[in-house]
Amino acid sequence: MDSALHDVWVAASTSPFVPTIGKDSHFLVGFSLLLLGIALSGAFVINRSLVSVPVLGVPASLALAFGVVYMFCAVGVYAPPRPILRAVASSTRPLYQLLKSIGFTNKINVEITKNGLRFAADHARVMQGVAHWGKDLFTSYVTDLPQPADEVEEETPPPSFQISLPALLETLQIFGATDAVARQSKTDVDPYRSNLRNYRPDVFSHQVLGISGTCSLSYSQEGEPFSIVLEESGVKTTCNLTTYVAEDIEEIPFEKDDPSFKIITQARVLLEALGEIAPAQPEKLTITTLRREPYLRLSTVSTLGSSTVDFAKARDLLETFSVSDTPWRQTFKFDIIKSATEAMRIASKVSLRGDEQGVLNMQFMVEVEGAGLSFLDFRFVPYAEHEDDEDDDEGAEDEGEGEEL
């Protein structure tokens, strides 16, 4: 770029152009000119002569022309801004199931990206969960995200906000609420039922009856409500959910590149193992991985007794098994591990990983019919093991009492 032109550009930025007639006055000026032009045109029609042409005809034409231009500027040129997100889904069932898997908190952070929506939940920095609504879950997905002014500049962070998770779940249940209530009743009876049994449609489900509907999502601008429009059998419901400023959630650190172990198994196997342990009402769950038998062990100790579940190193149980030479053993709150059972019910496979710090990572693969694969990610912080003081009672020593990180 020419340096002289750049100097002119910099100098112009300090003295911006201010129009004689401001934008707020365009409608009044345009309407006044149109009235004047119509009046002069009427007078010219009544007094048609050569003298009236420059006196009435020309001013009437100019007033009408400038009046139309100002009216266009007032109401036609300044179009409303495009919304940040517009998406349409033919079913809320997969959206509801993925979101309910991280339903262990009241508010979640939402990020809008070109590939879908990302939901992040945090529970006292002890448990974190992330769910994705990929663009493949929608029949239409359009975003208008801010772009950096210069390629050299850093990438602009995606738009984000915080929203009430219970309110969003209740809204999604409006569409096909009958099916949701039926599934919830089955879950209440047996919370550890697998996804193969717990979500099988019956003869009265919307899937079998062929009732169609749509779910439209929109987010216009920062600070505006998150709008959901549900339409089913000619009935339309509009819900505007209040959005809040997104909290800065510090991600639980996890060494992805160098985990202490990595195990891939079927999600229903892990769900059934927790179902075997749950009746003892344990407070803690100890996970142990070894290069030899029992390979993977889940054990608990409670006032009702102890429970242990061992996993054999068989292809149908442990599809992938990679453990370091050093045994990995960590203790977690049973309740926070149990919070992931909803993900275990709908997922087909789960990847278990742990690092040297003791952080446990669970990644669930969910197969959505007609939309490919979706993933759920959980991270759990363990108890800090420590030596019990001599004054501690033996029962607390046997149970491995620890304090939370």
Side-chain angles (χ1 to χ4, degrees):
M1 179 183 294
D2 189 3
S3 59
L5 182 59
H6 181 266
D7 295 339
V8 173
W9 180 269
V10 173
S13 62
T14 58
S15 56
F17 171 75
V18 179
T20 305
I21 301 176
K23 174 180 176 298
D24 296 336
S25 303
H26 285 178
F27 181 82
L28 178 61
V29 173
F31 187 74
S32 301
L33 289 176
L34 287 177
L35 289 179
L36 178 61
I38 293 173
L40 293 177
S41 299
F44 176 73
V45 171
I46 296 174
N47 302 303
R48 287 182 296 179
S49 64
L50 293 177
V51 178
S52 61
V53 170
V55 176
L56 299 176
V58 175
S61 301
L62 293 176
L64 290 173
F66 281 99
V68 170
V69 171
Y70 276 108
M71 289 298 291
F72 269 117
C73 293
V75 298
V77 174
Y78 299 99
R82 295 176 56 187
I84 296 176
L85 170 68
R86 290 175 297 172
V88 179
S90 59
S91 174
T92 59
R93 181 171 180 264
L95 306 181
Y96 176 82
Q97 289 181 347
L98 291 172
L99 203 57
K100 189 180 178 182
S101 300
I102 58 172
F104 50 83
T105 185
N106 290 328
K107 291 186 178 181
I108 54 175
N109 281 2
V110 184
E111 286 187 1
I112 301 175
T113 67
K114 62 180 181 180
N115 295 321
L117 299 176
R118 180 182 184 271
F119 300 88
D122 178 84
H123 176 66
R125 286 282 296 158
V126 176
M127 175 183 181
Q128 291 180 351
V130 176
H132 294 270
W133 285 357
K135 62 186 303 183
D136 294 336
L137 294 175
F138 302 92
T139 56
S140 174
Y141 187 86
V142 180
T143 58
D144 185 21
L145 304 179
Q147 300 294 332
D150 192 350
E151 296 180 356
V152 180
E153 296 183 3
E154 297 182 358
E155 185 177 355
T156 306
S160 61
F161 56 88
Q162 192 178 77
I163 198 170
S164 172
L165 179 57
L168 182 55
L169 290 175
E170 287 293 331
T171 302
L172 295 176
Q173 286 187 85
I174 296 176
F175 181 46
T178 304
D179 292 350
V181 172
R183 290 194 300 270
Q184 184 62 38
S185 62
K186 295 179 181 179
T187 303
D188 295 338
V189 173
D190 186 0
Y192 292 97
R193 292 171 66 95
S194 69
N195 59 328
L196 299 179
R197 294 173 291 171
N198 207 38
Y199 292 105
R200 183 177 297 169
D202 53 36
V203 294
F204 296 104
S205 66
H206 287 198
Q207 180 180 354
V208 175
L209 294 177
I211 299 177
S212 60
T214 59
C215 173
S216 302
L217 310 177
S218 65
Y219 182 64
S220 56
Q221 296 296 324
E222 183 179 355
E224 295 294 325
F226 186 63
S227 178
I228 302 178
V229 179
L230 304 170
E231 186 173 0
E232 180 182 17
S233 303
V235 179
K236 181 182 292 186
T237 304
T238 302
C239 303
N240 293 320
L241 303 181
T242 304
T243 58
Y244 308 90
V245 178
E247 293 183 357
D248 187 11
I249 298 178
E250 186 179 354
E251 192 177 68
I252 296 176
F254 179 77
E255 299 179 5
K256 298 180 181 179
D257 299 331
D258 188 23
S260 299
F261 76 91
K262 179 179 180 181
I263 297 174
I264 297 178
T265 184
Q266 298 182 15
R268 63 178 179 84
V269 173
L270 184 60
L271 179 66
E272 292 171 357
L274 293 179
E276 296 292 334
I277 298 174
Q281 300 179 359
E283 293 184 0
K284 301 177 183 178
L285 173 68
T286 300
I287 301 176
T288 306
T289 60
L290 301 168
R291 295 182 64 88
R292 50 180 174 79
E293 292 185 359
Y295 302 111
L296 174 61
R297 168 172 289 180
L298 306 180
S299 58
T300 62
V301 176
S302 66
T303 56
L304 300 179
S306 61
S307 302
T308 301
V309 177
D310 294 338
F311 291 79
K313 191 179 179 182
R315 181 65 180 175
D316 56 341
L317 289 180
L318 303 181
E319 299 182 9
T320 299
F321 184 82
S322 175
V323 180
S324 62
D325 296 333
T326 304
W328 192 88
R329 183 179 183 273
Q330 295 294 337
T331 302
F332 303 86
K333 273 189 176 181
F334 184 78
D335 288 341
I336 67 171
I337 301 296
K338 188 176 65 175
S339 300
T341 54
E342 184 67 25
M344 300 176 194
R345 274 194 289 269
I346 66 175
S348 57
K349 294 183 181 181
V350 56
S351 171
L352 303 174
R353 296 183 299 175
D355 61 7
E356 294 182 355
Q357 298 179 357
V359 177
L360 175 65
N361 175 236
M362 290 186 183
Q363 289 184 336
F364 297 92
M365 184 179 71
V366 182
E367 299 178 1
V368 182
E369 183 179 358
L373 301 177
S374 294
F375 294 91
L376 299 167
D377 188 274
F378 291 83
R379 293 184 183 183
F380 306 92
V381 176
Y383 278 87
E385 300 291 344
H386 65 85
E387 297 180 359
D388 296 324
D389 297 331
E390 295 180 358
D391 297 336
D392 289 347
D393 58 276
E394 294 182 357
E397 185 175 346
D398 293 338
E399 294 177 8
E401 292 286 0
E403 60 182 354
E404 210 171 276
L405 283 177

